[in-house]
Amino acid sequence: MERLKKLKPVDTLSLVDKVELRLLEFFKENNLGPGDPIPKELDFATNLGVSRTVVREALLRLRTLGLIESKKHRGMILKQPDIINNFERIMDPTLLGTKTLKNLFELRMILEMGMADFLFEHKTQKELDELEEIVEAEEATSTGKARFSLDKEVAFHGKLYQISKNDTLQRFQGLLLPVFEYVYLKETKDRDLDEYHYTKGTFVTHRMLLDNLKVGTPETFRNAMRRHLEPHFDHIFKNGKK
Amino acid sequence: MERLKKLKPVDTLSLVDKVELRLLEFFKENNLGPGDPIPKELDFATNLGVSRTVVREALLRLRTLGLIESKKHRGMILKQPDIINNFERIMDPTLLGTKTLKNLFELRMILEMGMADFLFEHKTQKELDELEEIVEAEEATSTGKARFSLDKEVAFHGKLYQISKNDTLQRFQGLLLPVFEYVYLKETKDRDLDEYHYTKGTFVTHRMLLDNLKVGTPETFRNAMRRHLEPHFDHIFKNGKK
DNA sequence: ATTTGTATTATGTCATACATATTATGATAT
DNA sequence: ATATCATAATATGTATGACATAATACAAAT
């Protein structure tokens, strides 16, 4: 009975699984890179000794992952995989678990805290002006309280990501946005941000962040951002402990 | 001729595209979430008025994205999509373009800069001890110079991510690792990190980061981390300007 | 009660045929 | 000769029907 332990499980991979792996091998063996055309489905099928169906499903997977692009009715070529794109289709807050949502919300805060150096490195006058406009529009409608309407919030922080000049980061935050909104709304239901007590009596507004971005340093900006995000940090850390 | 502008392009979506969207709608309409079983392929096919082939391809896409799990020969159920998993298969530095690589490298630095608050919030004595071990092992073999072997580097920073207690972040960094290594190696070829001149004459070692994590604050830690990463920041920003 | 056989079921795989869009090529008209 | 229009060739897209296979439940057997 004990001897059964020696028996290693046989590969239970489906044909499609195997073909997918073989295809990836094939691309590597032949040094195929983005832009290169690949053989047609039928050729793969006959050479691999499987039906076109199987080849097609394997190719479809790689296409779904963004590794292959299908020129309709003409052929397929390898493609530079688009990392972010895969997220987009599944980044639906209603389908993600609460734990993942929490993680993603935290991730966004980490990004905001960590991007300071890139902002200062890449900021331009034009962008500062645009940010200025956003803040002014905000001030015109705001009551001076801590709570902003969600769209103003999004506009301001979105602009920051844009200034970072990192496309991947920018698109990534675009994906995190629905999550942010989702959690934000849930959060503001629980308690009233207007009433929130900032540790030093004042809260850091978008205006202050902007001024800081203009004349400050990455270091001062990080500290300002930390205080700007304080309600969120507080919320996360408190809830984690209760 | 001008009137042609009014003509909006007809939907060029393939049947599979449409079915994929319909399926997603269906899940929402019926309030289906992770764990819930979904109708079988044939039922979808007859009800949608398309062949099983099309339904199957649409389902396969969602499966590839991790939205659906197929219990072999028994049926399919909705699944909590695994955000990170999709990355893993395509995160091959040789297949990613240099621009994306640069973005991802930057992204990793942003994460390291931004995670301080979470480290201080979640750190435990046990983890500090483990980090201590890592640093000691490192010091035993190191010459005291700025350059560390890659695996020590990975061990230390990997531990930090672990301390953050954010699974998504942790797995994300695991994916970024190959990119980091890839860029790191290219970087250290260009110039010698041993010779690197830190702005204040000293460089921040892992030991210092650890001590800071023990007795400092998120704020001091961020500043320490910034200086620890200074060679990388410098490299990125210099190259961007030339 | 545990094991073993059996029917059922939904997915996995196969084979074939036809539809459709793209491109190239050649035919036609001005 | 240039531009426009048919035509054929090609590879993917879609449809259909069939059978294989694995998971499960339940009956049968020891």
Side-chain angles (χ1 to χ4, degrees), chain B residues 145-173:
Chain B
K145 297 265 181 73
R147 183 190 222 151
F148 305 109
S149 68
L150 186 52
D151 53 333
K152 310 284 183 189
E153 189 73 15
V154 168
F156 182 84
H157 288 272
K159 192 74 191 174
L160 289 185
Y161 283 93
Q162 197 178 318
I163 295 176
S164 78
K165 303 286 191 302
N166 185 317
D167 291 343
T168 305
L169 173 64
Q170 207 174 325
R171 296 187 56 201
F172 193 54
Q173 96 95 10

Side-chain angles (χ1 to χ4, degrees), chain B residues 40-41 52 56 63 70 73-76:
Chain B
K40 51 193 187 185
E41 295 177 345
R52 188 182 153 212
R56 198 172 157 73
R63 245 188 302 169
S70 159
H73 302 105
R74 281 309 285 171
M76 298 183 179

